[in-house]
């Protein structure tokens, strides 16, 4: 484990990183929100189907 090499690579990555613009952040937020909604909706549909098939809770 070469600490000096590791620190150098971390610093290089931090130098390349930048704060996203508002448009980029907004687009990423919309896509992430749509993905969360889709997963939740899919879970709800599976729950509803399983509840119907097994006779309810």
């Amino acid at each position: 484990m070469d600490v000096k090499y590791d620190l150098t690579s971390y610093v290089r990555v931090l130098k390349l990183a930048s704060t996203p613009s508002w448009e980029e952040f907004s687009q990423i937020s919309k896509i992430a929100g749509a993905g969360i909604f889709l997963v939740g909706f899919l879970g709800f549909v599976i729950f509803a189907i399983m509840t119907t098939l097994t006779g309810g809770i």
Side-chain angles (χ1 to χ4, degrees):
M1 187 166 138
D2 188 11
V3 175
K4 183 175 168 86
Y5 176 74
D6 290 340
L7 288 176
T8 304
S9 62
Y10 297 152
V11 169
R12 186 177 17 192
V13 168
L14 287 175
K15 284 181 181 178
L16 289 175
S18 65
T19 304
S21 66
W22 176 251
E23 291 82 22
E24 186 179 11
F25 176 77
S26 177
Q27 184 178 15
I28 290 170
S29 298
K30 288 176 187 175
I31 293 171
I36 291 170
F37 175 78
L38 217 67
V39 169
F41 183 73
L42 182 62
F44 176 75
V45 168
I46 292 171
F47 170 76
I49 291 171
M50 293 305 292
T51 302
T52 305
L53 290 178
T54 60
I57 295 176

